[in-house]
């Protein structure tokens, strides 16, 4: 089976519509969510080719296939993350500036800043005395670097 478009996202579906279907999952590392062309395997052992026609990243919960009885969706494996919990706008600005200088991609969930684990970032947070914890957590989308160069 070759998948060329995402049908929907499970977060946007009615609970009753989901429950009447058998669900298979494709587990991906968050870094693979940016790949439009890849070969994957479901948790039931079925091989699927993904060749998305539209220019978009995959997201956790994206439905690759759905009929009256079955549904195949994307799920994301947990990443090793640093979860930063600044106590003030000043701390948020300080760490955001420091991470931006290192071109590290970040994600935000409520009042937390998420970055992929890096021992240098951990040392920086300790030095700046900004609260953080290291944990394995699923993210909904890939950590994406924003293209930028300092020179022309």
């Amino acid at each position: 089976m070759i998948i060329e478009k995402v049908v929907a996202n499970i977060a946007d579906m009615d609970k009753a519509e989901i429950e009447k279907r058998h669900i298979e999952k494709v587990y991906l590392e968050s870094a693979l969510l940016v790949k439009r062309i890849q070969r994957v395997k479901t948790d039931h052992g079925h091989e699927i080719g993904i060749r998305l026609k539209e220019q978009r990243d995959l997201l956790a919960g994206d439905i690759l296939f759905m009929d009256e009885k079955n549904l195949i969706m994307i799920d994301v494996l947990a990443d090793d993350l640093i979860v930063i919990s600044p106590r003030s706008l000043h701390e948020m600005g300080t760490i955001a500036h420091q991470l931006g200088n290192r071109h590290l991609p970040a994600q935000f969930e409520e009042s937390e800043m998420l970055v992929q684990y890096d021992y240098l970032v951990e040392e920086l947070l300790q030095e700046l005395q900004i609260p953080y914890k290291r944990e394995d957590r699923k993210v909904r989308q890939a950590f994406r670097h924003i293209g930028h160069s300092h020179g022309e």
Side-chain angles (χ1 to χ4, degrees):
M1 175 186 310
I2 305 285
I3 304 299
E4 295 184 331
K5 70 176 191 162
V6 172
V7 176
N9 191 286
I10 202 149
D12 302 325
M13 287 186 61
D14 181 50
K15 189 175 180 181
E17 285 296 309
I18 297 166
E19 289 175 349
K20 71 180 187 180
R21 292 177 169 86
H22 171 75
I23 298 177
E24 282 187 64
K25 292 184 178 181
V26 172
Y27 289 97
L28 294 178
E29 294 177 14
S30 66
L32 295 177
L33 295 172
V34 299
K35 291 182 67 178
R36 287 181 29 241
I37 300 172
Q38 56 186 309
R39 182 172 299 281
V40 297
K41 195 176 272 194
T42 71
D43 59 350
H44 289 55
H46 298 112
E47 277 199 20
I48 297 174
I50 299 174
R51 185 175 59 221
L52 298 181
K53 289 187 175 188
E54 61 182 311
Q55 195 75 6
R56 77 184 289 280
D57 292 348
L58 293 166
L59 298 172
D62 275 349
I63 299 171
L64 303 176
F65 171 82
M66 184 169 59
D67 63 16
E68 293 302 313
K69 295 180 181 178
N70 299 297
L71 180 150
I72 301 173
M73 65 176 269
I74 298 290
D75 201 351
V76 181
L77 298 170
D79 280 298
D80 185 8
L81 300 178
I82 295 178
V83 179
I84 305 167
S85 303
R87 294 169 291 221
S88 67
L89 187 59
H90 180 265
E91 282 185 353
M92 175 55 87
T94 300
I95 195 59
H97 179 76
Q98 292 286 334
L99 297 177
N101 280 342
R102 292 169 169 76
H103 300 276
L104 289 177
Q107 294 184 27
F108 299 87
E109 290 183 2
E110 296 178 24
S111 61
E112 297 177 326
M113 181 180 208
L114 311 176
V115 294
Q116 291 174 307
Y117 179 78
D118 181 309
Y119 75 93
L120 294 172
V121 172
E122 186 173 41
E123 287 176 1
L124 176 65
L125 289 162
Q126 290 169 351
E127 179 185 317
L128 295 172
Q129 297 180 346
I130 296 175
Y132 76 93
K133 60 187 172 200
R134 182 177 176 183
E135 67 180 49
D136 288 332
R137 184 188 286 192
K138 290 183 180 188
V139 293
R140 191 170 188 283
Q141 61 190 22
F143 284 90
R144 183 171 274 293
H145 289 274
I146 296 172
H148 170 74
S149 79
H150 290 282
E152 307 248 338

